[in-house]
Amino acid sequence: MKKTYKILLSLVITGAVFTSCHDDLNVDPTIDPDSFTEENVFATAEDAKGALAKLYASLALTGQAGPAGQPDISGIDEGTSQYSRMLFNLNELTTDNAVVGWGDPGLPNLHEMNWDSSNDFSTAMYYRLAQEVSFCNSFIGNAEKLTDNPEVATYIAEARFLRAFAYFNLIDFYGDVPLVTAVSTDLPEQNSRAEIFQFVEAELLEIQDLLKESQANEYGRVDRVAAWALLSKLYLNAEVWTGEQLYTEAVTFANKVIQSSYSINTTDANQNGNAYDELFLADNDTNGAQNEFIFALNFDGNASRTYGGTTFLIHAAIGGSMDAAAYGVNGGWGGTRTTGALVGKFDKSISSSDDDGYPVAWNDGRAMFYTDGQSFEINTIANTFTDGYAVSKFSNLDSQGNPGNDTGGEFTDTDLPLIRLAEIYLTYAEAVLRGGAGGDTNTAAGLINQLRTRAYGNSSGNISAADITLDFILDERARELYWEGQRRTDLVRYGYFTGSSYLWPFKGGVKNGTSVDSYRVLFPLPSNILSINKNLTQNTGY
């Protein structure tokens, strides 16, 4: 299933021609699916499926000609513009989870938390999400002409999910943005965060039964469990985003996900005593991990190439004395590593050496760090890969140690989960602890212990209901989900992203960390968008 759908993604990217653009959210993409017409693309359900592939591909890939050459978005390096690469930049690089040694304009500002409204990376993320909304609007408008076909009705529900997912990201990153649900050339008005929240909620509630049942869709395409999962995430953040506590709703929909056919991966196919690492290997579509992935981006080293996605996550994290071949690729980019604040959240074994003494071992198998020649403390971020432990979480080797499909070792096969069941376990626990009805802390402890048993390989790391606090859950989310695009959103929800209540190395551009102004919980609307559309008001502080 996976390979078939990846080939479909490749075909639609290379075979379709897009020419027009419009002002859905005032983005200037170089392509737009509005050139899809009923006559030339939507004549049959199979044609519509090809167009649907573009909606998924817009998050996984970057343009019309493989990894580079015909980008969807102009004004930024094409590989950088890929959705999950920018998600890493905005949601991990701005936190205690990651630093990068590269000096691309605007990139060091992310970890230093001093970006402005012309920052290339926050601007490109807005463009990518706005374009996804535009693609979805165009697809829905055209596909509705074929709604007598039940399969096309499912495609439309999937497109509505993807549009809701884009808006989920937009209100997380930018707050008040225009709500546009149909192709238009008019300059849109600005909607409040609460209004967008209500739209996303209503869309997901309406489409949940229009989507296919749990795991009944092709791998790589969403089903109704994805709608439930996104609703649980939405409700968990409701208090921050709208001022309304909806933790009971978060528990309700987390429960629906937990009771679905998805399951935590416990398969240790490579027999290294760590089933957790199977989630991030090149065969994670078949090694058991796929049963945990509720919504994932599909990658294939031959059929769907990009310099974002896991190609970026794997190459960028390799440097120093690391052997690139041990991760199934042809070389390292020597850029990303982590801070001591993340490393310190994992339990070391009693026999482990201190800080810069080697070797280092952890009881928790999720602590996937490369330490040889790497210093624990970061003294210099720029051009010094060996300052800070490297992260070896993602690999382009499969469970049997074989590299991915690209024989050149440049592009990876490893899929990237955007929502997986383990996250929803932790959503359930946090929502219960914040007062959500319909759950209990004993169940929460049981769910967390499933994750910790997998991580430790036994019950030695298990906790009791009495051990669960909000800060424990935040740290457990860090241990389970680091580098998966979650951290900034979590820290904002806890009130730790700005201010001085939680400091990490180089927060605010200072080695030991310093307080950051509260307006940084949102990114600015791009300055060039504001110059085009006078209906928009910039976020406070920018």
Side-chain angles (χ1 to χ4, degrees), residues 415-431:
D415 294 346
L416 180 64
L418 297 178
I419 308 174
R420 57 185 176 92
L421 184 58
E423 177 197 349
I424 306 305
Y425 279 14
L426 295 166
T427 294
Y428 173 96
E430 183 180 337

Side-chain angles (χ1 to χ4, degrees), residues 125-147:
M125 179 59 110
Y126 184 95
Y127 280 5
R128 175 63 64 185
L129 295 170
Q131 182 176 254
E132 179 71 357
V133 170
S134 179
F135 285 177
C136 292
N137 286 342
S138 184
F139 176 87
I140 293 166
N142 281 306
E144 284 174 343
K145 301 163 187 175
L146 295 174
T147 51

Side-chain angles (χ1 to χ4, degrees), residues 97 276 280 342-347 364-369 393 420 426 448 452 455-456 463 471-484 487:
N97 273 3
Y276 179 78
F280 312 105
L342 174 63
V343 175
K345 298 185 190 307
F346 292 90
D347 295 332
D364 190 328
R366 297 171 297 189
M368 301 174 73
F369 305 118
K393 179 171 178 174
R420 57 185 176 92
L426 295 166
I448 291 172
R452 292 178 69 83
Y456 282 72
I463 50 95
D471 280 346
F472 172 85
I473 294 171
L474 179 64
D475 287 347
E476 192 68 12
R477 288 182 69 91
R479 290 184 283 266
E480 180 71 28
L481 301 169
Y482 67 98
W483 283 33
E484 294 180 53
R487 187 60 172 170

Side-chain angles (χ1 to χ4, degrees), residues 88-272:
F88 178 91
N89 287 339
L90 299 191
N91 253 9
E92 302 288 349
L93 195 56
T94 58
T95 75
D96 53 344
N97 273 3
V99 298
V100 64
W102 306 328
D104 308 50
L107 194 58
N109 304 98
L110 295 178
H111 194 77
E112 294 171 3
M113 302 181 75
N114 59 7
W115 56 79
D116 59 26
S117 60
S118 61
N119 182 274
D120 286 347
F121 301 94
S122 62
T123 295
M125 179 59 110
Y126 184 95
Y127 280 5
R128 175 63 64 185
L129 295 170
Q131 182 176 254
E132 179 71 357
V133 170
S134 179
F135 285 177
C136 292
N137 286 342
S138 184
F139 176 87
I140 293 166
N142 281 306
E144 284 174 343
K145 301 163 187 175
L146 295 174
T147 51
D148 57 328
N149 185 308
E151 198 65 21
V152 174
T154 299
Y155 300 161
I156 293 172
E158 290 179 54
R160 291 172 67 183
F161 172 89
L162 294 170
R163 182 175 62 184
F165 179 76
Y167 269 118
F168 175 95
N169 282 263
L170 282 162
I171 59 173
D172 180 12
F173 290 124
Y174 307 101
D176 300 345
V177 297
L179 175 58
V180 182
T181 59
V183 174
S184 173
T185 57
D186 297 330
L187 294 176
E189 299 290 334
Q190 192 167 14
N191 292 83
S192 70
R193 204 180 201 182
E195 288 172 329
I196 307 293
F197 182 100
Q198 291 163 6
F199 168 77
V200 173
E201 177 189 26
E203 281 287 279
L204 294 172
L205 290 172
E206 187 171 327
I207 66 172
Q208 58 180 316
D209 293 332
L210 302 176
L211 292 164
K212 291 192 175 183
E213 294 184 3
S214 178
Q215 293 187 296
N217 212 344
E218 290 179 285
Y219 174 84
R221 291 171 55 195
V222 296
D223 56 30
R224 61 189 57 179
V225 180
W228 300 338
L230 191 55
L231 278 165
S232 72
K233 290 164 61 75
L234 186 75
Y235 291 134
L236 187 67
N237 289 288
E239 185 173 13
V240 172
W241 293 354
T242 71
E244 183 179 6
Q245 292 187 0
L246 295 173
Y247 298 117
T248 294
E249 290 80 357
V251 171
T252 297
F253 282 92
N255 260 326
K256 290 172 74 71
V257 175
I258 293 165
Q259 293 164 12
S260 74
S261 65
Y262 286 86
S263 59
I264 294 297
N265 177 58
T266 56
T267 304
D268 181 16
N270 60 6
Q271 299 181 345
N272 68 347

Side-chain angles (χ1 to χ4, degrees), residues 10 37-38 77 88 91 102 120 138 145 181 222-223 271 310 337 354 374 383 408 491 517 525 529:
S10 176
T37 67
E38 183 180 14
D77 173 78
F88 178 91
N91 253 9
W102 306 328
D120 286 347
S138 184
K145 301 163 187 175
T181 59
V222 296
D223 56 30
Q271 299 181 345
T310 52
R337 59 260 195 217
D354 292 332
Q374 303 290 132
N383 302 316
L491 291 175
D517 289 336
L525 297 177
I529 298 296

